[in-house]
Structure formats: C-alpha cells, structure tokens
Amino acid sequence: MTKAKRNIVITGGAGFIGSHVVRLFVTKYPEYNIINLDKLTYAGNLANLKDIEDKPNYKFVKMDICDFEGVYKLMQEEQIDGVIHLAAESHVDRSIKDPFTFARTNVMGTLALLQAAKLYWESLPERYEGKRFYHISTDEVYGALEFDDTLFTEQTPYSPHSPYSASKASSDHFVRAYHDTYGMPTIVTNCSNNYGPYQFPEKLIPLFINNIRKGNPLPVYGKGENVRDWLYVEDHARAIDLIFHKGVAAETYNIGGFNEWRNIDLIKVVIKTVDRLLGNSDGHSLGLITYVTDRLGHDARYAIDSSKLQRELGWEPSLQFEEGIERTVKWYLENQEWLDGVTSGSYQKYYEEQYNNR
C-alpha cells in the first residue's frame, strides 16, 4: 500500500453497513490507506466490495476482532491511527438462541480492539494526538419507547431488552470507559434501523423482497404494530464519515432518519413496490403476509432524535423513505445473482477461494 495521510482500519467492512463505509472511504479519500478487517462470518461477503477490491489504497485482512495478538500486530504493522468499529453480531433472533456468541464478539471483541489501540498509541511519541476510535452502536441499547412523541436522545438511559442489545450496551460502556480511564479519543454513535443494497437477507426488507419474488410467505411478528425508525444505509455512511472527521472526542451522536413506520405499514409499502416493479397487479402479494408468534422481548418502538448531529455537524438524511425503498427494491431485483448466492451460501465458498488465491 502507498504512503498515506491516514491509516484507518474498518472492522466488519465486508458486512452490510461496513461495506458501504469502506467503499465511501476508499473512493473519497485516495490519500488514505483503508484496511478492511473482517472475520467473514455468514454475514461477511467480499462480493459486496468487488468494485473496489483492486484499489491501491484498499487492503482486506481476514481476522477475528477477538484475536488480540493479531489485532495488536496489525495496529503496529499498518501504523493505524483511526479505528471505525462496525464488526458485530447483530441479529436479535440469533442472540436469543446463542447469547454467548454475541457476548464474545460484541463485548470481548470490542475490548480486544480497544486494548490493542491503547497499547499501540501509547507507545508512540505523540500518543493519542491525531488518533480516533469510533464505535458504531445501535438504538436498541436504549430499550423501548411508548407509542407517543418521545424520542431517544443521547441522554436516554440504557435499558437493553435482548442479549443482542445487552452485548452492544456493554461494548458502549467499555468504549466510554477507555476515554474516561486512559484518555483515549473515542466516539460512540447509536443508529436506527438501516436498509439498502447488500443487506443480508435475514433482515426484514431484503427477506421480504426475496420472498415476494419467490412467492413465499411473509412472516410478520405479532400484529405487525412494532414501530421502527428507518435510515438509508448510504446516509448512515455519510454520517460516519462526517463524525469520524469532525465529531468531538468523548461525545455520543444519535443517527436516525426521522422516519418511523409500523412494521405492517412498511411491509405493505415493500409489497406494493416489488409488485409494481415485477409487473404484478396492485395487491398481488398481500396474501403472502403470515402473522407469526411474536419475538421474545420484542420492543414496541424505537425512534431516534438526530437533532444534535444536525445542529452541531450539519448532517441530515438525503433521501425520503419512498425514494430509498424504490432504490433498494430495484437493486435487489437487478442483483438476483448476488441475492441467490447469499441465500444459497455459495458466496462463502467462492470468495473464500478468491481470497486464498490472491
């Protein structure tokens, strides 16, 4: 890799949000070296980055963030001065079935990264000057809101209700503790639900697009009345870019779309859009909706107040939801090979071979 103005490691860069962040940084900042560190679990897919994999300022490293020795060595060899930490287990249903994996990756993995960065940066003459450890978290750490006009702010107390959100809350506390104890320049952001291209099709929107395409049932938890705030993934990536460069150390910023939808209403918009783009009659796929037993500990409502980020750094979402959904549905319908490769699992073998042969 070329001599760079900055050397930044992005963890989880082969995942959904991570791949968008990696692509943005690699293309926008050719003077930076971007190291994509990813374990390539089921949700990591190098096909997400095929368009930038040969860029001179991009490097992929297959590594588990829990591998402290490996991460510490990488920090030293690549002279890392910035960490953007997205790697995480994130699916609530999986966390209910296997909480240990979530605690290991989300808590111990974050701790390994923090300690590796601390030891490396403290060994340098300038120590923490010009360094940044940016940790991406979730709105789920705040718990649940009533069906009213309240919003999660940066001052909302933590009240996680699932093993997933509990593991993320713990990792957030460790990040803040490293600032308070050691003076590490950390930042934490809490974001609402993301949607867009390259999302693993276990999540609601790509799952439903794929099921409609195949005529399969659309499983809706409970009565579909749970409310979520939705943000287009490229808007999130723009926010991460802005906060990494302009955010104030030790601060927390909430990132949301000011875009609340009941699940059932969102699903009907997705159905209507997919049916139209497939040439089906209006309402053709509504009969695929199947109500299933509600998820354990299913929070009623999440909604993020992004006004601090808008006020202090000037960020706001660029897309209206209908435009974002239109783009998203078109992408999945136009990239059925990617979607079929992910749902079949063939992507893992192919890109593992590609990586091993590079």
Side-chain angles (χ1 to χ4, degrees):
M1 300 180 77
T2 58
K3 183 174 177 60
K5 185 176 179 180
R6 299 204 68 157
N7 298 308
I8 300 169
V9 62
I10 300 176
T11 72
F16 167 45
I17 300 172
S19 63
H20 286 275
V21 176
V22 167
R23 179 179 293 102
L24 175 62
F25 272 69
V26 167
T27 55
K28 185 176 179 179
Y29 301 106
E31 71 276 21
Y32 291 4
N33 281 338
I34 304 300
I35 296 92
N36 172 10
L37 189 157
D38 199 295
K39 185 182 176 181
L40 293 184
T41 63
Y42 76 95
N45 186 353
L46 291 176
N48 297 356
L49 293 163
K50 190 171 179 59
D51 57 321
I52 57 99
E53 64 184 5
D54 294 320
K55 295 286 186 181
N57 65 328
Y58 171 72
K59 182 177 185 178
F60 172 71
V61 175
K62 185 180 180 183
M63 187 179 294
D64 186 343
I65 58 171
C66 294
D67 177 4
F68 168 76
E69 295 295 337
V71 173
Y72 183 43
K73 184 179 180 182
L74 179 73
M75 293 275 181
Q76 295 171 304
E77 290 179 346
E78 300 291 348
Q79 301 178 24
I80 298 299
D81 54 44
V83 178
I84 300 176
H85 177 35
L86 292 120
E89 296 284 350
S90 65
H91 195 254
V92 174
D93 288 350
R94 289 177 184 264
S95 80
I96 293 169
K97 294 176 181 177
D98 181 16
F100 286 100
T101 295
F102 281 69
R104 178 182 180 275
T105 299
N106 297 353
V107 183
M108 298 307 294
T110 299
L111 184 55
L113 286 166
L114 284 164
Q115 185 68 1
K118 170 188 178 295
L119 292 179
Y120 172 57
W121 291 341
E122 288 186 346
S123 73
L124 302 174
E126 71 275 17
R127 290 173 62 84
Y128 289 130
E129 184 181 347
K131 309 301 189 294
R132 173 139 294 180
F133 190 105
Y134 179 177
H135 174 67
I136 285 82
S137 189
T138 172
D139 56 2
E140 296 190 40
V141 298
Y142 295 127
L145 294 167
E146 298 295 329
F147 292 108
D148 54 23
D149 58 358
T150 57
L151 300 170
F152 293 137
T153 72
E154 289 81 1
Q155 286 72 46
T156 301
Y158 275 27
S159 182
H161 293 155
S162 72
Y164 162 60
S165 56
S167 69
K168 289 297 289 184
S170 178
S171 66
D172 295 2
H173 291 319
F174 269 109
V175 173
R176 294 188 177 102
Y178 264 66
H179 171 268
D180 295 346
T181 304
Y182 306 113
M184 181 181 286
T186 63
I187 284 181
V188 175
T189 55
N190 300 86
C191 189
S192 59
N193 281 25
N194 280 219
Y195 71 99
Y198 298 109
Q199 188 169 29
F200 195 81
E202 67 182 357
K203 298 297 179 115
L204 189 151
I205 290 176
L207 173 67
F208 278 39
I209 293 170
N210 197 35
N211 283 10
I212 294 167
R213 180 170 72 98
K214 295 183 173 181
N216 292 336
L218 307 177
V220 179
Y221 283 125
K223 297 179 181 179
E225 294 178 347
N226 302 74
V227 174
R228 298 293 182 263
D229 177 24
W230 292 89
L231 177 66
Y232 191 64
V233 65
E234 291 182 6
D235 281 335
H236 188 191
R238 286 193 308 104
I240 290 171
D241 173 24
L242 179 65
I243 294 165
F244 179 81
H245 288 96
K246 302 294 185 182
V248 177
E251 286 291 332
T252 298
Y253 299 93
N254 280 351
I255 309 172
F258 289 109
N259 182 41
E260 292 183 59
W261 287 79
R262 287 196 315 159
N263 283 348
I264 190 62
D265 296 329
L266 169 80
I267 289 162
K268 288 178 179 177
V269 171
V270 172
I271 290 171
K272 186 179 183 68
T273 306
V274 176
D275 276 342
R276 175 171 52 78
L277 292 174
L278 287 177
N280 297 331
S281 59
D282 190 28
H284 173 83
S285 300
L286 286 172
L288 297 175
I289 292 175
T290 305
Y291 293 95
V292 299
T293 303
D294 206 356
R295 168 192 285 163
L296 296 172
H298 198 180
D299 291 330
R301 174 175 170 257
Y302 304 144
I304 282 280
D305 182 352
S306 297
S307 58
K308 175 181 176 180
L309 180 57
Q310 291 179 314
R311 182 177 64 253
E312 296 186 5
L313 298 182
W315 175 91
E316 61 183 17
S318 67
L319 291 182
Q320 295 297 317
F321 183 67
E322 289 77 4
E323 183 183 356
I325 281 292
E326 183 87 7
R327 285 192 191 182
T328 300
V329 172
K330 282 183 176 179
W331 186 88
Y332 282 102
L333 294 181
E334 292 170 358
N335 290 272
Q336 293 184 20
E337 183 178 354
W338 179 93
L339 190 56
D340 290 339
V342 172
T343 54
S344 71
S346 64
Y347 72 100
Q348 288 182 302
K349 181 179 179 181
Y350 175 76
Y351 281 97
E352 183 75 14
E353 292 174 352
Q354 293 289 100
Y355 168 71
N356 289 335
N357 291 329
R358 288 178 69 87

